[in-house]
Amino acid sequence: MVSFVTWQFPNRTLGFLAAGLLALTIPIYCINLGITALLDHRVKDSIMKDAEAKALSWARNLVVNIPSIKNIVRTGQATPEERSRIVDAIAVAGVFRIQMFTQEGKLAFVSDRDKSGRSDTATAIARTHAKTAFQSKSPLVFIKTGQSNPTRPNHYVEAFVPAYASNGSVFGVIEVYIDVSDTYEALATSFAQLSWLLIVGSAIIFLVPASLVAIRSWQLSAKARKLIQVDQIVYLT
């Protein structure tokens, strides 16, 4: 009587495929995390550089067009005409709000008169940033979201820019608020599309050799099973 060994081929195949898919999913997931973090960094870096250039240019033009800015920073007082000119200048380059600080980091001027818009902690942090910008003579740029403040854009930048007098000396710091919502969303969408292309490409790169290995392993396994079955048939006969 001839007896054959029953092989659980489907279960083993499914197990092998599951292990292969798991081994493929882990590196793709890690690649996805890395690509997402890298592209998010690139989006924010691009926005911050663009916003810094805009803030520097805007602050420079403000000081040139309103020479009394130095006195406003020193005294913390602005005439109605000066305030009106500042407000008119705010609508340029996406700027929607400014604050001015003295050399010591004291808040001297707020364009919308809303000094209560910040908590005491946030105001203290702003003073620290202003002093740092004054001492380093370099802008400080931060990307913020308007989630906690419905009056703010979805994404905006706070840039602490040194204010230069005509003789080249720094007399204070101007904090420029710039709306970057459209730029952020456009860059995020573009980079998201690129991210998917990179992820799909990575998946293909991993999938092709993995598939070849899986197919070859299945072929060798099938061949080994046939040899064992033949040996068993010969033995039993």
Side-chain angles (χ1 to χ4, degrees):
M1 180 176 181
V2 180
S3 176
F4 295 92
V5 176
T6 302
W7 291 83
Q8 296 180 347
F9 175 70
N11 292 335
R12 291 196 173 191
T13 302
L14 290 176
F16 181 78
L17 290 176
L21 288 174
L22 180 61
L24 181 64
T25 301
I26 292 175
I28 291 178
Y29 177 73
C30 293
I31 291 174
N32 181 28
L33 290 179
I35 291 175
T36 301
L38 176 62
L39 294 183
D40 183 64
H41 172 74
R42 292 299 303 165
V43 167
K44 291 181 179 179
D45 185 61
S46 298
I47 290 175
M48 289 173 65
K49 287 181 179 179
D50 181 65
E52 179 179 326
K54 287 182 178 180
L56 283 169
S57 177
W58 189 90
R60 189 182 305 113
N61 290 333
L62 183 70
V63 174
V64 170
N65 294 325
I66 308 177
S68 58
I69 287 291
K70 184 176 181 180
N71 186 60
I72 295 174
V73 171
R74 182 178 61 82
T75 63
Q77 300 293 326
T79 66
E81 181 183 358
E82 290 171 334
R83 179 175 288 277
S84 178
R85 294 181 65 185
I86 293 173
V87 171
D88 289 341
I90 284 178
V92 179
V95 177
F96 65 91
R97 188 173 191 254
I98 68 166
Q99 294 191 140
M100 299 184 192
F101 296 85
T102 65
Q103 299 179 6
E104 297 78 21
K106 179 182 177 181
L107 182 60
F109 177 87
V110 182
S111 62
D112 53 10
R113 298 179 182 271
D114 181 20
K115 294 187 179 181
S116 62
R118 267 189 168 132
S119 64
D120 292 339
T121 301
T123 301
I125 293 174
R127 288 199 298 265
T128 300
H129 291 330
K131 286 191 291 186
T132 301
F134 176 82
Q135 294 170 357
S136 65
K137 306 296 187 295
S138 299
L140 290 179
V141 182
F142 304 93
I143 294 181
K144 300 293 184 69
T145 64
Q147 295 177 351
S148 59
N149 191 337
T151 64
R152 301 285 170 83
N154 292 334
H155 295 90
Y156 64 95
V157 164
E158 293 182 12
F160 294 80
V161 181
Y164 287 89
S166 57
N167 60 3
S169 63
V170 179
F171 61 84
V173 172
I174 302 176
E175 182 186 9
V176 185
Y177 290 67
I178 303 176
D179 184 355
V180 295
S181 297
D182 293 340
T183 304
Y184 189 97
E185 291 173 5
L187 287 176
T189 300
S190 298
F191 280 119
Q193 294 172 346
L194 176 61
S195 173
W196 276 110
L197 290 175
L198 292 174
I199 292 171
V200 171
S202 301
I204 293 174
I205 291 174
F206 277 98
L207 185 59
V208 171
S211 299
L212 293 176
V213 171
I215 292 172
R216 184 56 180 164
S217 298
W218 180 83
Q219 290 174 340
L220 293 175
S221 178
K223 184 176 181 180
R225 287 196 300 273
K226 289 181 179 179
L227 291 175
I228 292 174
Q229 288 175 350
V230 169
D231 289 342
Q232 290 179 339
I233 290 173
V234 172
Y235 175 77
L236 294 173
T237 56

